[in-house]
């Protein structure tokens, strides 16, 4: 009986098994994720993440994750949570961090430190209905990453960092167009 | 002295003043938002949102907003928070909700209910290094909105919903490419 290999808090044996399972059956890679956002008042809303679909099957999260969103005072909110675009930046940092930690685990690198400072430039003219401004979303996003590993060179970490950028779901969602279809049930 | 008009929890007078101020000085629309994500272990990270730049000036949030991210068990995490792509869906819901509530306030619509069910399809093959799969990010996002107002017709709410889609920062970030520049400080 082999001992479990846990590196960077990742069960490496299970990671390898999962990748092998996906190679044998691509359906295992098939997910539909969800969030339900309920408006409270003003700039404040609550978002709940409670389940997802995996291989066509409903799967419950261990608990319902609740995120609070709001606008700062200058944007007429009560600042009870980050706003929507700040959450996108946080999500990009999360995605890069998971990709880095999991791949580092697979490569045998023992991480001591990993963080991402993410910032994005936004011009609000479009949002408030002034058409002469630039696009509604970020015009540019800059990421400064810090990584330290017990047993990997800076060059190895740089190579991994580039690989993670290429394979990051959120990186791809931001860098490339995703189609959004909206339907409204108005009463 | 005029009484303050608050509708949907939005200070409508201040909203109109803000839009007028931006019309007179586009610099007021200029923001740089930020989030710092620090990896904890495995799939778990914490993201902090504490300040942003407005008109070139550092501005502090009323408090540091902390969001926890993690992966569910099937993705080898401890499920202590939503994952990165679920947060993107939550952010889209937040952004649509703020846009809808603020614009409804300006139009005089009194909202009774507003929510967004957001879901996105994701194939994890790319993330785990299998190149034959589709893109790393969502291949499609579907949004089902529910809205109810005391004094607006379903047609008026549908028109507003379409307007909000066009002017949503997060909607734009997801629908259109945003350039991301990453630098790593490896030790």
């Amino acid at each position: 009986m082999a001992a479990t290999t846990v590196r960077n808090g990742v069960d490496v044996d299970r990671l390898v098994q999962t990748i092998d399972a996906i190679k044998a059956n691509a359906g295992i890679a098939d997910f539909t994720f969800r969030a339900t956002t309920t408006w409270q008042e003003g700039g404040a809303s609550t978002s709940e993440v409670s389940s997802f679909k995996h291989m066509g099957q409903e799967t419950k999260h261990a608990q319902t994750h609740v995120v609070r969103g709001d606008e700062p005072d200058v944007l007429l909110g009560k600042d009870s949570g980050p706003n929507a675009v700040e959450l996108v930046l946080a999500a990009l940092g999360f995605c890069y961090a998971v990709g880095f930690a999991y791949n580092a685990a697979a490569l045998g690198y023992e991480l001591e430190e990993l963080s991402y400072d993410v910032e994005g430039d936004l011009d609000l003219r479009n949002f408030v209905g002034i058409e002469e401004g630039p696009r509604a979303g970020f015009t540019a996003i800059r990421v400064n990453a810090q990584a330290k590993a017990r047993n990997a060179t800076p060059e190895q970490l740089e190579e991994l960092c580039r690989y993670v950028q290429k394979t990051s779901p959120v990186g791809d969602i931001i860098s490339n167009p995703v189609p959004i279809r909206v339907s409204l049930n108005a009463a």
Side-chain angles (χ1 to χ4, degrees), chain A:
Chain A
M1 219 173 85
T4 310
T5 307
V6 176
R7 192 178 293 119
N8 305 331
V10 182
D11 182 333
V12 179
D13 301 330
R14 217 180 134 205
L15 178 60
V16 172
Q17 283 159 18
T18 302
I19 295 171
D20 286 345
I22 293 174
K23 279 179 183 162
N25 175 7
I28 297 173
D30 179 34
F31 287 84
T32 296
F33 291 103
R34 302 188 186 115
T36 294
T37 296
T38 306
W39 172 72
Q40 310 288 322
E41 64 152 9
S45 296
T46 299
S47 198
E48 293 196 350
V49 174
S50 56
S51 67
F52 54 91
K53 232 193 245 182
H54 179 215
M55 303 178 76
Q57 301 281 323
E58 285 303 314
T59 309
K60 280 213 172 308
H61 273 287
Q63 53 187 298
T64 296
H65 303 300
V66 181
V67 182
R68 173 91 174 173
D70 200 351
E71 296 291 348
D73 178 69
V74 69
L75 296 174
L76 314 187
K78 296 199 170 141
D79 213 344
S80 65
N83 73 14
V85 295
E86 290 170 327
L87 264 186
V88 170
L89 300 176
L92 182 61
F94 283 141
C95 201
Y96 282 162
V98 173
F100 203 100
Y102 281 27
N103 281 291
L107 290 166
Y109 303 165
E110 288 172 30
L111 287 180
E112 292 174 287
E113 227 182 277
L114 179 63
S115 66
Y116 291 89
D117 293 308
V118 187
E119 62 176 31
D121 302 326
L122 196 94
D123 188 304
L124 270 190
R125 277 179 281 177
N126 201 305
F127 178 69
V128 300
I130 302 171
E131 288 186 3
E132 70 213 23
R135 63 185 294 172
F138 289 126
T139 49
I141 292 177
R142 293 171 296 280
V143 181
N144 286 301
Q146 293 81 37
K148 197 174 162 190
R150 223 175 299 277
N151 55 350
T153 65
E155 291 70 30
Q156 286 174 318
L157 295 179
E158 274 158 22
E159 194 186 330
L160 177 53
C161 184
R162 283 191 294 274
Y163 176 78
V164 167
Q165 286 170 58
K166 279 196 305 182
T167 54
S168 159
V170 177
D172 177 45
I173 290 163
I174 292 174
S175 305
N176 298 300
V178 180
I180 303 175
R181 191 161 48 90
V182 180
S183 67
L184 172 69
N185 183 2

